[in-house]
Amino acid sequence: EVQLVESGGGLVQPGGSLRLSCAASGFTFSNYGMSWVRQAPGKGLEWVSTINYSGRDTSYSDSVKGRFTISRDNAKNTLYLQLNSLKTEDTSMYYCKGLIGGRETKGQGTQVTVSS
């Protein structure tokens, strides 16, 4: 069974940092590009960042470029998102996502709340 399990969210003050993780299982993780997306209360899903299967190529939305870093460890079947210089507008549920075997798959999410 394909599974994506996010962790690492929490409450942080503006300017703070968090590191999100996404543990993958049930498929050959190193074969697939992966993404992070987020959804704030009352808003639609927003793309945040994508990394290719090897980790060499990454892309970011303008809203997080220069503050967030996506990475992966294929030996550990884990995707990461380092969040720095957090802003209140980064408050969202964060999900890892991949097109696995032709099917869009998303985890259950991890909540990031940025507040003083």
Side-chain angles (χ1 to χ4, degrees):
E1 179 191 2
V2 173
Q3 272 198 317
L4 298 171
V5 180
E6 300 92 338
S7 61
L11 173 64
V12 63
Q13 291 186 340
S17 297
L18 282 174
R19 190 196 198 198
L20 308 184
S21 298
C22 171
S25 61
F27 64 103
T28 305
F29 180 69
S30 58
N31 284 356
Y32 293 91
M34 298 292 296
S35 297
W36 286 96
V37 296
R38 66 186 182 183
Q39 187 165 26
K43 296 191 176 181
L45 214 55
E46 177 191 8
W47 171 72
V48 175
S49 182
T50 295
I51 189 167
N52 78 329
Y53 70 97
S54 68
R56 287 199 194 95
D57 294 325
T58 59
S59 56
Y60 300 91
S61 68
D62 287 344
S63 60
V64 308
K65 197 175 295 182
R67 299 188 299 120
F68 292 7
T69 303
I70 191 171
S71 62
R72 65 191 298 159
D73 185 336
N74 285 343
K76 295 183 178 178
N77 291 340
T78 304
L79 177 73
Y80 302 101
L81 187 68
Q82 178 68 41
L83 289 64
N84 296 331
S85 303
L86 281 160
K87 306 175 181 179
T88 55
E89 52 263 44
D90 294 318
T91 295
S92 286
M93 185 72 79
Y94 284 73
Y95 303 90
C96 63
K97 189 169 75 76
L99 186 62
I100 312 301
R103 181 176 178 178
E104 199 72 55
T105 301
K106 189 161 61 78
Q108 86 291 343
T110 186
Q111 177 68 38
V112 172
T113 302
V114 185
S115 174
S116 54

Short mmCIF file of all heavy atoms in Angstrom, two decimals, residues 2 4 8 10 14-15 26 36 38-39 45-46 49 54 60 67 87-88 90 97 100 103-105 109 111:
data_model
loop_
_atom_site.label_atom_id
_atom_site.label_comp_id
_atom_site.label_asym_id
_atom_site.label_seq_id
_atom_site.Cartn_x
_atom_site.Cartn_y
_atom_site.Cartn_z
N VAL A 2 0.60 2.16 -0.92
CA VAL A 2 1.35 3.41 -0.99
C VAL A 2 0.96 4.29 0.19
O VAL A 2 -0.22 4.51 0.45
CB VAL A 2 1.06 4.13 -2.31
CG1 VAL A 2 1.69 5.51 -2.30
CG2 VAL A 2 1.56 3.31 -3.49
N LEU A 4 2.18 7.97 2.46
CA LEU A 4 2.99 9.16 2.71
C LEU A 4 2.58 9.70 4.07
O LEU A 4 1.40 9.97 4.28
CB LEU A 4 2.76 10.22 1.63
CG LEU A 4 3.14 9.83 0.20
CD1 LEU A 4 2.66 10.88 -0.79
CD2 LEU A 4 4.64 9.63 0.07
N GLY A 8 6.54 16.85 11.77
CA GLY A 8 7.45 17.98 12.00
C GLY A 8 6.78 19.34 12.12
O GLY A 8 7.46 20.33 12.40
N GLY A 10 4.20 22.32 13.70
CA GLY A 10 4.05 22.83 15.06
C GLY A 10 3.77 24.31 15.07
O GLY A 10 3.51 24.92 14.02
N PRO A 14 6.96 34.09 14.30
CA PRO A 14 7.46 34.67 13.04
C PRO A 14 8.98 34.79 13.07
O PRO A 14 9.56 35.17 14.08
CB PRO A 14 6.79 36.04 13.01
CG PRO A 14 5.53 35.86 13.78
CD PRO A 14 5.88 34.90 14.89
N GLY A 15 9.59 34.44 11.93
CA GLY A 15 11.05 34.43 11.85
C GLY A 15 11.67 33.11 12.23
O GLY A 15 12.88 32.90 12.02
N GLY A 26 5.71 1.67 0.40
CA GLY A 26 4.80 0.98 -0.51
C GLY A 26 5.11 1.21 -1.98
O GLY A 26 4.36 0.71 -2.83
N TRP A 36 5.74 19.34 -2.27
CA TRP A 36 5.05 19.81 -1.08
C TRP A 36 3.98 20.80 -1.54
O TRP A 36 4.23 21.65 -2.41
CB TRP A 36 6.00 20.51 -0.11
CG TRP A 36 6.90 19.59 0.63
CD1 TRP A 36 8.19 19.26 0.30
CD2 TRP A 36 6.61 18.88 1.84
NE1 TRP A 36 8.72 18.39 1.22
CE2 TRP A 36 7.76 18.14 2.19
CE3 TRP A 36 5.49 18.79 2.67
CZ2 TRP A 36 7.82 17.32 3.33
CZ3 TRP A 36 5.55 17.98 3.79
CH2 TRP A 36 6.70 17.26 4.11
N ARG A 38 0.40 23.08 0.22
CA ARG A 38 -0.18 23.51 1.50
C ARG A 38 -1.57 24.06 1.28
O ARG A 38 -1.94 24.46 0.18
CB ARG A 38 0.72 24.55 2.16
CG ARG A 38 0.84 25.89 1.41
CD ARG A 38 1.86 26.79 2.09
NE ARG A 38 1.96 28.09 1.43
CZ ARG A 38 2.81 29.04 1.78
NH1 ARG A 38 3.66 28.84 2.79
NH2 ARG A 38 2.84 30.19 1.13
N GLN A 39 -2.32 24.08 2.36
CA GLN A 39 -3.68 24.59 2.32
C GLN A 39 -3.99 25.34 3.60
O GLN A 39 -3.98 24.75 4.68
CB GLN A 39 -4.69 23.46 2.11
CG GLN A 39 -6.10 23.95 1.88
CD GLN A 39 -7.01 22.85 1.34
OE1 GLN A 39 -6.77 21.67 1.55
NE2 GLN A 39 -8.04 23.25 0.61
N LEU A 45 -5.72 24.51 -2.41
CA LEU A 45 -4.40 23.91 -2.31
C LEU A 45 -3.39 24.77 -3.07
O LEU A 45 -3.65 25.18 -4.21
CB LEU A 45 -4.47 22.50 -2.90
CG LEU A 45 -3.61 21.41 -2.30
CD1 LEU A 45 -3.86 21.27 -0.80
CD2 LEU A 45 -3.89 20.07 -2.98
N GLU A 46 -2.25 25.04 -2.44
CA GLU A 46 -1.21 25.86 -3.06
C GLU A 46 0.06 25.05 -3.22
O GLU A 46 0.56 24.47 -2.24
CB GLU A 46 -0.93 27.09 -2.18
CG GLU A 46 0.20 27.98 -2.68
CD GLU A 46 0.65 29.03 -1.67
OE1 GLU A 46 0.19 28.99 -0.51
OE2 GLU A 46 1.47 29.89 -2.04
N SER A 49 6.64 23.45 -3.54
CA SER A 49 7.95 23.09 -4.05
C SER A 49 7.91 21.69 -4.64
O SER A 49 7.09 20.86 -4.24
CB SER A 49 8.98 23.14 -2.91
OG SER A 49 10.28 22.84 -3.38
N SER A 54 15.97 12.32 -8.37
CA SER A 54 17.33 12.19 -7.85
C SER A 54 17.66 13.25 -6.80
O SER A 54 18.63 13.10 -6.06
CB SER A 54 18.34 12.30 -8.99
OG SER A 54 18.35 13.63 -9.52
N TYR A 60 10.48 26.17 -6.73
CA TYR A 60 9.76 26.75 -5.61
C TYR A 60 8.75 27.79 -6.10
O TYR A 60 8.98 28.47 -7.10
CB TYR A 60 10.73 27.45 -4.64
CG TYR A 60 11.76 26.53 -4.06
CD1 TYR A 60 12.99 26.34 -4.68
CD2 TYR A 60 11.51 25.84 -2.87
CE1 TYR A 60 13.94 25.49 -4.14
CE2 TYR A 60 12.46 24.99 -2.32
CZ TYR A 60 13.67 24.82 -2.97
OH TYR A 60 14.62 23.97 -2.44
N ARG A 67 13.42 31.04 1.16
CA ARG A 67 13.14 30.77 2.58
C ARG A 67 12.98 29.28 2.86
O ARG A 67 13.34 28.82 3.94
CB ARG A 67 11.87 31.50 3.01
CG ARG A 67 11.93 33.01 2.88
CD ARG A 67 10.71 33.68 3.50
NE ARG A 67 9.46 33.28 2.85
CZ ARG A 67 8.45 32.68 3.49
NH1 ARG A 67 8.53 32.43 4.79
NH2 ARG A 67 7.33 32.36 2.84
N LYS A 87 6.66 33.25 8.14
CA LYS A 87 5.75 34.39 8.23
C LYS A 87 4.37 33.89 8.65
O LYS A 87 4.05 32.71 8.45
CB LYS A 87 5.65 35.09 6.87
CG LYS A 87 6.98 35.52 6.27
CD LYS A 87 6.78 36.09 4.89
CE LYS A 87 8.10 36.50 4.25
NZ LYS A 87 7.91 37.05 2.88
N THR A 88 3.56 34.79 9.16
CA THR A 88 2.22 34.38 9.58
C THR A 88 1.44 33.80 8.40
O THR A 88 0.64 32.87 8.58
CB THR A 88 1.45 35.55 10.18
OG1 THR A 88 1.45 36.64 9.25
CG2 THR A 88 2.11 36.02 11.48
N ASP A 90 2.44 31.86 6.23
CA ASP A 90 2.84 30.48 5.96
C ASP A 90 2.00 29.48 6.75
O ASP A 90 2.13 28.26 6.57
CB ASP A 90 4.32 30.26 6.31
CG ASP A 90 5.26 31.04 5.41
OD1 ASP A 90 5.01 31.08 4.20
OD2 ASP A 90 6.24 31.60 5.94
N LYS A 97 3.25 15.16 -1.68
CA LYS A 97 2.38 14.66 -2.75
C LYS A 97 3.24 14.09 -3.86
O LYS A 97 4.32 14.59 -4.15
CB LYS A 97 1.55 15.83 -3.29
CG LYS A 97 0.46 15.47 -4.24
CD LYS A 97 -0.43 16.67 -4.48
CE LYS A 97 0.22 17.69 -5.39
NZ LYS A 97 0.21 17.29 -6.79
N ILE A 100 2.06 8.67 -8.08
CA ILE A 100 2.64 7.35 -7.86
C ILE A 100 1.84 6.33 -8.65
O ILE A 100 0.66 6.10 -8.37
CB ILE A 100 2.63 6.97 -6.37
CG1 ILE A 100 3.17 8.13 -5.51
CG2 ILE A 100 3.41 5.69 -6.14
CD1 ILE A 100 4.56 8.57 -5.84
N ARG A 103 -1.35 7.64 -10.10
CA ARG A 103 -2.38 8.10 -9.16
C ARG A 103 -1.82 9.18 -8.26
O ARG A 103 -0.76 9.00 -7.64
CB ARG A 103 -2.87 6.92 -8.33
CG ARG A 103 -3.96 7.26 -7.34
CD ARG A 103 -4.45 6.03 -6.62
NE ARG A 103 -5.47 6.36 -5.64
CZ ARG A 103 -6.10 5.46 -4.90
NH1 ARG A 103 -5.81 4.18 -5.01
NH2 ARG A 103 -7.01 5.82 -4.02
N GLU A 104 -2.54 10.30 -8.16
CA GLU A 104 -2.13 11.39 -7.29
C GLU A 104 -2.30 10.94 -5.84
O GLU A 104 -3.40 10.56 -5.42
CB GLU A 104 -3.00 12.62 -7.57
CG GLU A 104 -2.41 13.92 -7.07
CD GLU A 104 -1.21 14.37 -7.91
OE1 GLU A 104 -1.35 14.50 -9.13
OE2 GLU A 104 -0.15 14.59 -7.31
N THR A 105 -1.21 10.99 -5.09
CA THR A 105 -1.22 10.50 -3.71
C THR A 105 -0.73 11.60 -2.78
O THR A 105 0.27 12.26 -3.06
CB THR A 105 -0.32 9.27 -3.56
OG1 THR A 105 -0.77 8.25 -4.44
CG2 THR A 105 -0.36 8.74 -2.14
N GLY A 109 -1.06 15.13 6.12
CA GLY A 109 -0.68 16.51 6.39
C GLY A 109 -0.11 16.74 7.77
O GLY A 109 -0.30 15.92 8.70
N GLN A 111 0.38 20.23 10.44
CA GLN A 111 -0.02 21.62 10.60
C GLN A 111 1.16 22.50 11.01
O GLN A 111 1.88 22.18 11.96
CB GLN A 111 -1.13 21.73 11.66
CG GLN A 111 -1.57 23.15 11.96
CD GLN A 111 -2.30 23.80 10.80
OE1 GLN A 111 -3.08 23.15 10.10
NE2 GLN A 111 -2.05 25.09 10.58
#
